[in-house]
Amino acid sequence: MNMSPRQRWYRHLGKVFTAQPASPQNLADIEQLRQIQKNLCAESQLDTPYLVLVVGSCVIATLGLLSNSAAVIIGAMIVAPLMMPIRGLAFGALIGDVVLFRRALLSVVVGTGVAILLSCGLGMVAGLSAFGNEILARSTPNLLDLGIAIAAGGVCGYALVEPKVSGTLAGTAIAVALMPPVCVVGLGLSQGNWVLSWGAFLLFVTNFLGIALACMVAFVLAGYAHWTKARGVLALAILLTSVLVIPLGISFVELTRQNRLEANLRQVLLSGTITFQRVELIRTRTNWQTHPPETRLTVRAQEPITPRQVQLLEEFLQRRMGQKFTLIFDVNPIQEVRASDNDMTP
């Protein structure tokens, strides 16, 4: 007798859970499991509403990134539907439901591919010569991003089994931000910036694995899967996530070093010491790959900065940071111009 995928699932589910000693404390009711599976199948379906939301959120996020508008990007995060099939994928992998797993994986892959192609096309049309901070910020993921993804994934998984917290999914989607990194991948490709695209793709993979792993843990703790059957999948998810710790850890170390460096620089430049007249620090960029690291500072100053001042600042940083830095100043002179100055011109 031919059975539909859903009928095969019900039969499989009945065999799995009736073969185990059912405990009300440790095992959820089969009927509730069937309802959850039904909801996840609907959430993970690659249909017209899903694609409409993908396209809409991608356009909103890409335009928000190009205009450097955080508010617009947040709006795109709420609309983006990518989190739902990831939750279905995690549940399908955990309980061995091949139909649900394939359906959710297909939705994630197609949704991600459509978003990358669309954002790449919008980036080519816009033709911006430089990207703003909202784009660049999504090209250097670190361990903090993995922590956010795991926490958000745990909330997402718990919301499936606890209806009282389902209303928090919008906030969870904002926290984990799946669509913006995908759009940054496309924007980087539109300019041939492979470093930017790779960094944003790493952030997306971090969010993806963090959400999937945390959802699995939430499902196991809630009693929707037996530990003996789920430990293999959980071990694989933990292994894949652990691989990311190396590049994310390197980025985190660089982030802490950069923050410490900027704090020391601001302390000297903004305090108006004997070594430096008071200057305004606009931004800093550090290349940690050189030896010693090379830091370029963009500042505004009323008077020229001398090589002797730069040398004294390098010596100060070496004492405070425990390593030598090469400093390069880009000085923008402060000049006040008014229309009334024209009347004073001879």
Side-chain angles (χ1 to χ4, degrees), residues 3-24:
M3 293 186 295
S4 66
R6 183 170 299 176
Q7 290 173 327
R8 287 197 298 270
W9 155 255
Y10 289 157
R11 183 177 181 182
H12 166 74
L13 190 66
K15 289 181 178 179
V16 169
F17 288 100
T18 54
Q20 300 291 335
S23 172

Side-chain angles (χ1 to χ4, degrees), residues 276-337:
F276 270 91
Q277 73 278 8
R278 192 174 183 84
V279 299
E280 179 184 355
L281 180 61
I282 302 174
R283 64 176 177 269
T284 63
R285 297 189 303 275
T286 302
N287 183 1
W288 297 98
Q289 307 303 319
T290 60
H291 300 282
E294 184 178 277
T295 300
R296 183 175 294 272
L297 301 90
T298 303
V299 300
R300 290 194 182 98
Q302 294 180 340
E303 301 177 7
I305 295 178
T306 64
R308 176 58 179 167
Q309 290 174 317
V310 176
Q311 180 184 355
L312 292 174
L313 182 56
E314 288 179 348
E315 293 173 356
F316 169 81
L317 288 176
Q318 186 171 1
R319 292 193 301 269
R320 293 292 295 269
M321 301 285 293
Q323 69 177 112
K324 183 175 178 57
F325 288 86
T326 300
L327 301 182
I328 303 173
F329 279 80
D330 293 330
V331 184
N332 298 329
I334 299 176
Q335 182 180 8
E336 186 177 286
V337 180

Side-chain angles (χ1 to χ4, degrees), residues 18 21 36 38 81 141 177-178 219 233 345:
T18 54
I36 289 176
K38 180 180 178 181
L178 282 165
F219 296 147
V233 176
T345 304

Side-chain angles (χ1 to χ4, degrees), residues 115-135:
I116 290 176
L117 292 176
L118 183 56
S119 59
C120 181
L122 291 174
M124 291 180 178
V125 172
L128 296 184
S129 58
F131 291 139
N133 294 331
E134 290 292 341
I135 294 177

Side-chain angles (χ1 to χ4, degrees), residues 188-227:
L189 294 176
S190 69
Q191 288 195 353
N193 190 336
W194 302 105
V195 175
L196 178 67
S197 294
W198 168 249
F201 182 73
L202 180 61
L203 176 57
F204 172 74
V205 173
T206 299
N207 291 337
F208 175 86
L209 290 178
I211 293 172
L213 174 60
C215 283
M216 291 180 184
V217 173
F219 296 147
V220 172
L221 294 178
Y224 286 89
H226 289 284
W227 165 249

Side-chain angles (χ1 to χ4, degrees), residues 224-243:
Y224 286 89
H226 289 284
W227 165 249
T228 54
K229 292 183 175 295
R231 59 186 179 185
V233 176
L234 278 173
L236 179 60
I238 293 173
L239 177 62
L240 293 176
T241 306
S242 300
V243 173

Side-chain angles (χ1 to χ4, degrees), residues 45-180:
Q45 181 67 37
L46 181 61
D47 51 15
T48 301
Y50 175 80
L51 292 175
V52 169
L53 289 177
V54 167
V55 172
S57 61
C58 175
V59 172
I60 296 172
T62 303
L63 296 181
L65 290 166
L66 292 173
S67 62
N68 208 36
S69 173
V72 176
I73 298 172
I74 291 174
M77 297 175 194
I78 299 175
V79 179
L82 292 177
M83 182 178 288
M84 296 301 99
I86 294 178
R87 185 167 66 173
L89 182 148
F91 192 78
L94 196 64
I95 64 175
D97 182 6
V98 179
V99 176
L100 176 58
F101 179 83
R102 289 178 177 175
R103 177 178 296 182
L105 181 61
L106 179 63
S107 296
V108 173
V109 172
V110 172
T112 303
V114 169
I116 290 176
L117 292 176
L118 183 56
S119 59
C120 181
L122 291 174
M124 291 180 178
V125 172
L128 296 184
S129 58
F131 291 139
N133 294 331
E134 290 292 341
I135 294 177
L136 299 178
R138 289 169 172 83
S139 63
T140 53
N142 55 63
L143 288 176
L144 299 178
D145 296 296
L146 179 59
I148 294 171
I150 292 175
V155 173
C156 182
Y158 183 63
L160 181 67
V161 299
E162 179 52 67
K164 291 182 180 180
V165 299
S166 60
T168 64
L169 286 182
T172 305
I174 294 173
V176 77
L178 282 165
M179 183 58 73

